[in-house]
Amino acid sequence: MENKSVAVIGSLNYDIIFKQKKFPEIGETYMADSVTFCSGGKGANQAVQCSKLGLKTYMVGKIGDDNHGEMLLKSLQKYNVDTTFITTSNTNTGLGVVNSLEDGSVVATISTGANYALTVEDIKNAEDVIAKSSIVILQLEIPLEVVEYSIKMAKKHNCFIILNAAPSNEISEECIKLVNCLVVNESEASFFAGEKIENLGDAMKYCKKIYNKISDVLVITLGKQGSLIYDGEQKYFIEPHKVEAIETTGAGDSYIGALAYGILNKMTYQQAGSFASKVSSMTVMKIGSQEAMPTLSTIKQLQN
């Protein structure tokens, strides 16, 4: 892959992150310790991590005609993401409310907003940047018909397709078979395997059931337990990097951006997974997603 460009097609959300000691009970009003406002959305986060690692990155998505949308656009531009094909809808910008505990674990609720106003026509308009990209990254926070159309277009242009199947949703057998790399966490892996996957043992046992649906490689991320990569022949366990997690929002997105970097730079899947694990571990050491994600120069400094 001589062309080092990536097209990310997906979601943009304005995030409100509450740092707190516990999750409230039903009917309880709980006082958070702090609140942070930041740019997010799986698509935007993955685009930022790609760009921070030096890849030419295009973002295709939709924002609302409001202050939140304007802030998301400025954040992407700050990190040198090409925003030419981010269009505006007359609905609200996507919104995420994240509750983060002291150990870094999170739960989140999102309002899809303008993300679900993204259309097939928007993808057609962005065909030139998809055609010139070596990798296309997608998630499932936009309409499923748009995801499936994008997969077919990317395959037409011989792009390597990474699908982060989050949140879980049924994808046609025809389209998921075109996916080169499927990335799922425990919950999403359980959905696609039809089996409960909670740990490395479960992932090792059931990964083949998921792999048979796709093309080249399956990645199951397991949070603190590390990740599993299966290429149809070998199962590679990627050790987690032990750090003091402050907040895990965006860790999975950071992993995917770094994985794309590794693949574009001709690393083996095992090497790319190890690099992605290292990059995502650095992200969880700060609050927020895009601001916390490391640059390539920062990573190299820490390695020296």
Side-chain angles (χ1 to χ4, degrees):
M1 295 182 181
E2 295 304 319
N3 175 18
K4 299 291 180 69
S5 64
V6 176
V8 182
I9 303 170
S11 56
L12 303 96
N13 291 329
Y14 183 78
D15 286 344
I16 303 171
I17 303 174
F18 291 104
K19 193 74 177 176
Q20 55 201 82
K21 293 182 176 62
K22 74 178 188 71
F23 298 133
E25 304 292 336
I26 298 296
E28 177 186 7
T29 298
Y30 187 78
M31 304 288 282
D33 297 321
S34 64
V35 62
T36 303
F37 304 93
C38 56
S39 301
K42 292 183 186 299
N45 290 345
Q46 291 165 18
V48 166
Q49 185 62 89
C50 286
S51 187
K52 278 190 161 187
L53 293 174
L55 302 177
K56 174 61 181 175
T57 307
Y58 303 93
M59 179 77 210
V60 182
K62 187 87 73 173
I63 56 174
D65 185 14
D66 51 30
N67 290 336
H68 290 160
E70 186 177 341
M71 292 174 68
L72 294 180
L73 203 61
K74 287 180 178 178
S75 181
L76 288 170
Q77 291 166 349
K78 172 184 174 182
Y79 297 118
N80 299 314
V81 175
D82 189 309
T83 60
T84 303
F85 292 97
I86 295 176
T87 52
T88 302
S89 167
N90 60 5
T91 188
N92 293 332
T93 295
L95 181 69
V97 177
V98 181
N99 302 89
S100 174
L101 298 185
E102 291 179 324
D103 66 356
S105 59
V106 299
V107 296
T109 302
I110 64 171
S111 169
T112 57
N115 293 311
Y116 261 61
L118 191 67
T119 66
V120 165
E121 196 62 32
D122 291 316
I123 307 306
K124 290 179 181 177
N125 291 337
E127 183 166 6
D128 284 350
V129 299
I130 293 169
K132 69 172 67 170
S133 297
S134 293
I135 291 182
V136 169
I137 302 175
L138 294 138
Q139 323 78 37
L140 299 180
E141 290 184 336
I142 57 176
L144 191 58
E145 66 172 352
V146 176
V147 173
E148 294 189 341
Y149 184 85
S150 300
I151 289 172
K152 291 175 182 176
M153 178 180 286
K155 185 57 64 175
K156 181 179 78 171
H157 293 293
N158 298 313
C159 303
F160 186 95
I161 302 167
I162 298 176
L163 173 63
N164 175 210
S168 306
N169 203 345
E170 290 287 353
I171 306 169
S172 70
E173 290 183 12
E174 174 195 7
C175 282
I176 200 168
K177 199 65 181 175
L178 300 177
V179 170
N180 297 97
C181 177
L182 180 70
V183 183
V184 288
N185 65 14
E186 305 98 310
S187 171
E188 296 140 12
S190 300
F191 176 85
F192 286 100
E195 306 282 355
K196 191 67 174 175
I197 296 178
E198 297 180 317
N199 52 47
L200 177 62
D202 296 336
M204 297 278 281
K205 183 176 180 181
Y206 297 119
C207 62
K208 190 172 183 180
K209 292 187 70 174
I210 307 173
Y211 178 83
N212 288 337
K213 301 176 186 289
I214 60 171
S215 181
D216 293 331
V217 62
L218 168 69
V219 179
I220 301 177
T221 58
L222 301 162
K224 296 177 183 178
Q225 301 177 66
S227 54
L228 176 70
I229 296 179
Y230 180 49
D231 64 5
E233 295 182 1
Q234 297 291 323
K235 298 173 185 176
Y236 303 104
F237 171 57
I238 307 300
E239 291 270 0
H241 287 261
K242 302 295 184 183
V243 297
E244 186 175 342
I246 301 300
E247 192 243 313
T248 58
T249 303
D253 301 326
S254 186
Y255 186 106
I256 289 168
L259 187 72
Y261 173 88
I263 292 169
L264 273 175
N265 283 277
K266 300 181 180 178
M267 296 183 191
T268 65
Y269 290 135
Q270 186 177 15
Q271 290 170 334
S274 181
F275 176 73
S277 177
K278 180 181 298 181
V279 172
S280 64
S281 71
M282 295 173 69
T283 298
V284 305
M285 296 171 69
K286 297 180 182 178
I287 292 179
S289 300
Q290 297 173 15
E291 191 72 29
M293 291 172 174
T295 62
L296 192 59
S297 60
T298 300
I299 296 164
K300 288 179 177 178
Q301 286 171 9
L302 292 176
Q303 287 176 332
N304 294 334

